[in-house]
Amino acid sequence: MVRPALLLVALAFAPLLGGCRYAFVPLIPAQVNVDLPARLTNATLTRQGDTLRVTAQLDGRFEPGFLTVRWFDGGRELGTDSVYLDDRQRAATFTLDAPARGTYRAVLSFGGAALRQVELYEVAP
């Protein structure tokens, strides 16, 4: 007798259970402020005659500073160069005299953090 009574009570409250929803608190989450680091775009390493040329553009919000390139031929470091970048000057071009063919690499860094490495393989590594 108890079971049919419980079944009748459950059926009586069944229409009320259909309106239940999950409640997430807070209903509107707090705004998240994201501070993305600067990023290099359009970074390329090409050869023009006896000269290697790296072009790069720094995008995003960043504090003015130096964009540095370190040149390598295989594992041997060839040199370093820097350009000061700010909001007005966001693009940089670096050149290096390299008459011999090789496996060249340029590592670009900004503010002490390496952002990109570009490579040019002219001979088998």
Side-chain angles (χ1 to χ4, degrees):
M1 274 314 221
V2 174
R3 287 191 180 186
L6 287 175
L7 183 60
L8 286 175
V9 170
L11 288 175
F13 287 108
L16 298 175
L17 294 176
C20 292
R21 294 186 210 167
Y22 292 108
F24 296 102
V25 176
L27 297 177
I28 299 174
Q31 183 177 357
V32 177
N33 294 326
V34 178
D35 187 23
L36 297 175
R39 62 190 173 115
L40 277 176
T41 58
N42 301 329
T44 59
L45 173 59
T46 57
R47 175 178 286 281
Q48 295 177 345
D50 288 344
T51 304
L52 295 177
R53 180 180 306 270
V54 170
T55 58
Q57 181 171 344
L58 196 62
D59 287 339
R61 291 189 316 174
F62 62 92
E63 294 293 323
F66 287 93
L67 178 65
T68 304
V69 64
R70 296 183 79 170
W71 297 93
F72 295 92
D73 181 10
R76 182 174 54 104
E77 184 173 350
L78 300 176
T80 306
D81 196 7
S82 296
V83 170
Y84 186 78
L85 297 180
D86 58 13
D87 285 339
R88 294 177 309 219
Q89 177 66 31
R90 292 179 168 261
T93 301
F94 301 98
T95 59
L96 176 72
D97 290 332
R101 304 284 182 209
T103 56
Y104 293 103
R105 187 167 49 104
V107 178
L108 297 158
S109 60
F110 185 77
L115 297 180
R116 175 82 49 98
Q117 173 178 298
V118 289
E119 300 171 337
L120 178 65
Y121 291 104
E122 299 174 316
V123 297

